[in-house]
Amino acid sequence: MKKIIFICLMFTMLFACKSASSTTVSTEATELSTKLDRPTQVAIKGNWILTNVSYAGSDYIKVNSFDLADSKCFIGSSWNFISNNNKGTMTLNATSCTPFSSPIVWSINNQGLFVLKIVDPGTKSKNVRSGYLLKVAGLTDNSFQLIDKINVGGQSKDVTYQFQRAN
C-alpha cells in the first residue's frame, strides 16, 4: 500500500480529516497496482483548465485541496500533463487566492487511479514520498474528472475536479 498524507477539511461546525493516502488505504482495499494505463495517460496529455470543483455541502464545507489551498482556488488553474515522462505542471491563478505553481509527477494505473505527486522546486520527484490518489472518470477528448474521497462526519463524500482541454 502507498503511504498517504492527510487532507483536512475545515468548516464552521465540524472538523473532518481525510486520509488521501496512508500505509493502509483501507483494510478492505486491494493492493495498489503499479501497472500503468498508457492509453488513458496519452488521452489526457496536453494542457487543461480545472473548471469546477463540486462536492455535497460545498456551501458549508471548506475543502483544503492537496494541502495547498481552498478547493475553490483551483477553479481556473492550469494543468499540463506530459504522458511520455509522467511529468507536468500545475498553476493556481485565481485572483482572490495566493498564486502557486509547481512541477508535478503523475500517472494513471490500470485500476483507474490517478497518482499525483506535487514536487517542490529544487526537489527530485524520487525524493517526494507522499502524494494523492484520485479516481479518473468521464474521460472524453475534451474533458475528464478526478474524484477524491473525503470523510465528513464519518461519511465518505466525493470531491469532483472537472477539467476541460485548453487547446
Side-chain angles (χ1 to χ4, degrees), residues 29-60:
T30 58
E31 187 73 22
L32 182 65
S33 175
T34 57
K35 190 168 189 169
L36 299 180
D37 181 348
R38 293 270 180 213
T40 303
Q41 287 187 171
V42 169
I44 70 163
K45 75 177 179 181
N47 297 312
W48 296 82
I49 303 295
L50 197 155
T51 58
N52 191 37
V53 180
S54 60
Y55 48 92
S58 62
D59 292 337
Y60 308 102

Side-chain angles (χ1 to χ4, degrees), residues 1-2 4 20-21 25 29-37 40-41 44 86 106-116 132-137 145-149:
M1 299 284 172
K2 293 286 184 179
I4 301 190
S21 200
V25 174
T30 58
E31 187 73 22
L32 182 65
S33 175
T34 57
K35 190 168 189 169
L36 299 180
D37 181 348
T40 303
Q41 287 187 171
I44 70 163
N86 297 97
W106 65 280
S107 63
I108 301 171
N109 73 9
N110 65 355
Q111 295 166 313
L113 293 176
F114 185 93
V115 181
L116 173 67
Y132 305 89
L133 298 174
L134 300 102
K135 181 79 175 159
V136 178
Q145 300 165 340
L146 293 178
I147 301 170
D148 199 3
K149 293 277 187 200

Side-chain angles (χ1 to χ4, degrees), residues 7 28 43 86 99 155 159:
I7 300 173
E28 301 159 10
N86 297 97
Q155 295 182 343
V159 176

